Amino acid sequence: MTQEKKKKKSLSAFSILMIVLAVVCLITLLTNGKPIDSDIIKSLDPEKYGELIDSVNAGETVTVQSAKFSDFIMAIPNGFMDASELIIFILCIGGFIGIVMSTGAMEAGIRSLVKKSKGSEGKLIATLMFLFSVGGSTYGMAEETIGFYPLITAAMVAAGFDTMVAVGTVLLGAGAGVLGSTINPFATAAAMSALESVGIKSDPTIVMIVGAILWLSTDIIVIRFVLNYAKKVQKDKNASILTPDEKADMNQYFAEDTAKELEFTGKHKAVLTVFAITFAIMIISLISYVDINFHGDEDAYLKAFGWSDFLTGSPLGWWYFKDLAALFTLSAIVIALVAGINEKEFVDGFIAGAADLLSVALIIAVARGITVVMSATHLDFFILQNSAKLLRGVSPFVFAPLAYLIYMVLSFLVPSTSGLAALSIPIMGSLAHQLGYNPNIMIMIFCGACGLINFVTPTSGVVMGGIAAAKVEYATYLKWVKKPFIITMIANIIILSLAMYFM
């Protein structure tokens, strides 16, 4: 009876997101007609908000628009449209994983990996988390991690851990890097560009130094937390935070029969080699060489990398989700040829794999629909305007912590780092500059708060998609992650407050 009641109270990711969407729509009704400062609109990126800037220059006033019933109904279809490239990528990577799984190479490889790491599983977890964090700090590795969940989850379960260890390894690992972004084009680079759009010069050195401190300190916190939990679970299965239903899902989807012998053949090795090369190409293709190596000189970049556009029409460094979708589809075909899979088996395996990640794609569409409604009604501008007012006139010791908390709220409402940078940094960076504070630290306040809230926010496709791929419920994950979340927040605020004071 108790278990039944508990099950009824547990909301699915879809229900949680629909409640958030309804609340956002309700807030727009309560704030309908509230004016947005013309200075706020004029400070926005003209490339993205050109039409609004033109209307303000023509003497019009931008106001919050109440969401109509049709906005609520169309939020999910509009979310699909807005996140179409990401959804296509997820379905294609699901198909790719389906083909890899059908060859038996993944299971054999995991068995071999677990056998080799016997007794040193902690080192494996720490190494993986650090590598994910490097990806997060350098090129904003986030949505791309969803493809790793089936492999990492199966490996962790085979090693005697539970699915939550896998979630922590991937989500907190990459998340620590994104939180401490150094050269991430979707966070620090986007924020520096937004700051310079209002005539304030950014300082890459300060951004990278503070970013590295945030990254490494957060990495230490989350790695230690995941390792402590993993050791407890490995020692005593009852120490797992998973509910009975989640344990059943873990055994159904990720546990393998370790009693049967499974040879790791040459064909398996060849399949996993193609698998590894595919992910390596994905990482290489997403690094922003034009900014990092060529300081924004597109001609020099194209001269060096133009040859690499033969595969998708875009050179390496300019790839995005649709290019990655093409890469994983092509790699699935190559693996089928290497493994000797016939046409019918390939089609069935690819469709089955895509179907496994369909729920992830749906969750991302609903989450993106919330952002679409926020943008269409201008509620995001209204919240930003009032956030900036809160920061005026506060002492230096209050400014950084308050700005961090405000950015946590803004990041919940606008989970896209590049989108939030374009929207907020021209305003918040200018405010810091006017008050005599370092606007480069404001960039890192934005990155730190945005990264932290993306550990937990239900409006992020990375969080909801990742835990859905690992068959973990959102409520269970929140209960598990609250300790590192609070510790990281305190550490971040101390670091950023000191940086704001001394820099």
Side-chain angles (χ1 to χ4, degrees):
M1 285 287 288
T2 308
Q3 282 184 5
E4 280 182 20
K5 283 183 182 177
K6 220 172 186 180
K7 194 172 179 183
K8 285 177 185 176
K9 288 180 182 177
S10 181
L11 292 173
S12 69
F14 292 104
S15 299
I16 291 166
L17 289 170
M18 290 305 294
I19 290 169
V20 172
L21 175 60
V23 169
V24 165
C25 290
L26 181 60
I27 291 171
T28 66
L29 295 177
L30 299 174
T31 56
N32 180 40
K34 296 286 185 182
I36 310 297
D37 247 343
S38 59
D39 289 340
I40 294 252
I41 304 299
K42 287 177 182 177
S43 68
L44 297 170
D45 181 0
E47 195 173 319
K48 187 169 183 180
Y49 299 99
E51 286 185 20
L52 280 176
I53 293 170
D54 289 342
S55 67
V56 167
N57 288 335
E60 296 177 26
T61 301
V62 176
T63 62
V64 178
Q65 305 293 312
S66 61
K68 301 185 288 292
F69 184 65
S70 59
D71 292 321
F72 178 80
I73 295 298
M74 289 300 294
I76 296 174
N78 287 335
F80 267 108
M81 296 290 289
D82 198 59
S84 57
E85 287 192 18
L86 173 57
I87 290 168
I88 290 166
F89 161 68
I90 286 170
L91 294 178
C92 288
I93 203 172
F96 166 79
I97 291 167
I99 295 300
V100 174
M101 296 295 281
S102 70
T103 66
M106 187 77 79
E107 184 183 349
I110 288 168
R111 292 277 188 89
S112 176
L113 176 67
V114 170
K115 192 178 290 184
K116 286 178 181 176
S117 62
K118 192 73 176 172
S120 59
E121 295 90 349
K123 289 181 182 177
L124 175 64
I125 292 171
T127 302
L128 286 171
M129 290 185 74
F130 179 73
L131 290 175
F132 279 125
S133 76
V134 170
S137 183
T138 55
Y139 73 90
M141 189 179 199
E143 288 88 350
E144 300 86 355
T145 59
I146 290 172
F148 287 96
Y149 278 91
L151 170 65
I152 302 295
T153 307
M156 292 304 165
V157 172
F161 305 123
D162 64 7
T163 49
M164 194 64 84
V165 174
V167 170
T169 300
V170 183
L171 207 162
L172 298 187
V178 174
L179 185 155
S181 290
T182 49
I183 54 175
N184 177 359
F186 305 106
T188 50
M192 285 190 287
S193 175
L195 185 65
E196 291 179 0
S197 72
V198 290
I200 301 173
K201 188 167 176 57
S202 61
D203 189 332
T205 304
I206 290 177
V207 168
M208 287 182 68
I209 290 172
V210 178
I213 294 170
L214 287 174
W215 162 32
L216 295 175
S217 60
T218 303
D219 224 13
I220 291 168
I221 292 167
V222 296
I223 288 173
R224 186 169 179 177
F225 174 76
V226 173
L227 285 177
N228 286 341
Y229 174 76
K231 286 174 186 174
K232 287 178 186 175
V233 171
Q234 193 177 40
K235 190 176 178 180
D236 179 11
K237 294 294 182 286
N238 291 324
S240 173
I241 198 169
L242 300 180
T243 65
D245 286 345
E246 288 167 321
K247 287 177 181 176
D249 284 340
M250 176 178 73
N251 293 327
Q252 180 182 347
Y253 292 101
F254 300 110
E256 300 291 345
D257 182 5
T258 53
K260 66 177 182 180
E261 289 296 323
L262 191 61
E263 185 184 358
F264 191 30
T265 66
K267 188 180 284 187
H268 289 153
K269 290 175 183 177
V271 167
L272 292 182
T273 299
V274 177
F275 180 91
I277 290 171
T278 303
F279 277 96
I281 293 172
M282 179 188 77
I283 292 167
I284 292 167
S285 73
L286 292 169
I287 297 171
S288 183
Y289 302 105
V290 68
D291 294 315
I292 298 168
N293 299 87
F294 300 98
H295 309 290
D297 187 343
E298 290 188 8
D299 291 333
Y301 158 71
L302 289 171
K303 191 174 180 181
F305 283 87
W307 61 269
S308 62
D309 67 356
F310 70 93
L311 191 61
T312 69
S314 296
L316 295 173
W318 273 358
W319 281 25
Y320 205 47
F321 291 123
K322 64 179 179 180
D323 303 279
L324 297 178
L327 169 68
F328 280 100
T329 303
L330 175 64
S331 294
I333 295 169
V334 172
I335 285 173
L337 293 173
V338 168
I341 296 173
N342 64 43
E343 183 269 342
K344 187 177 186 311
E345 289 173 335
F346 173 80
V347 173
D348 290 346
F350 195 90
I351 291 172
D356 285 341
L357 290 187
L358 183 60
S359 63
V360 176
L362 291 169
I363 286 168
I364 287 170
V366 180
R368 190 64 65 89
I370 296 167
T371 307
V372 170
V373 171
M374 289 273 298
S375 179
T377 59
H378 305 317
L379 182 61
D380 47 4
F381 295 140
F382 179 72
I383 293 169
L384 180 59
Q385 172 180 281
N386 286 279
S387 299
K389 284 178 181 175
L390 274 176
L391 290 171
R392 288 191 180 277
V394 299
S395 71
F397 301 103
V398 177
F399 185 85
L402 185 56
Y404 189 91
L405 294 173
I406 286 170
Y407 259 117
M408 286 177 65
V409 175
L410 292 174
S411 300
F412 175 83
L413 299 168
V414 186
S416 164
T417 50
S418 57
L420 184 56
L423 171 68
S424 68
I425 289 297
I427 299 157
M428 302 294 269
S430 295
L431 177 63
H433 185 65
Q434 289 166 19
L435 297 175
Y437 304 133
N438 193 324
N440 296 286
I441 305 303
M442 181 60 84
I443 288 174
M444 294 320 302
I445 288 172
F446 148 74
C447 288
C450 198
L452 179 66
I453 207 67
N454 281 328
F455 278 8
V456 298
T457 177
T459 58
S460 168
V462 177
V463 174
M464 304 307 277
I467 63 174
K471 309 298 179 187
V472 171
E473 291 179 6
Y474 182 61
T476 307
Y477 171 70
L478 277 186
K479 183 180 176 184
W480 179 79
V481 83
K482 66 182 179 184
K483 185 177 178 181
F485 180 89
I486 293 169
I487 294 171
T488 299
M489 180 177 68
I490 294 169
N492 279 193
I493 287 174
I494 292 170
I495 291 166
L496 290 165
S497 297
L498 290 172
M500 186 67 84
Y501 182 77
F502 289 109
M503 293 182 178

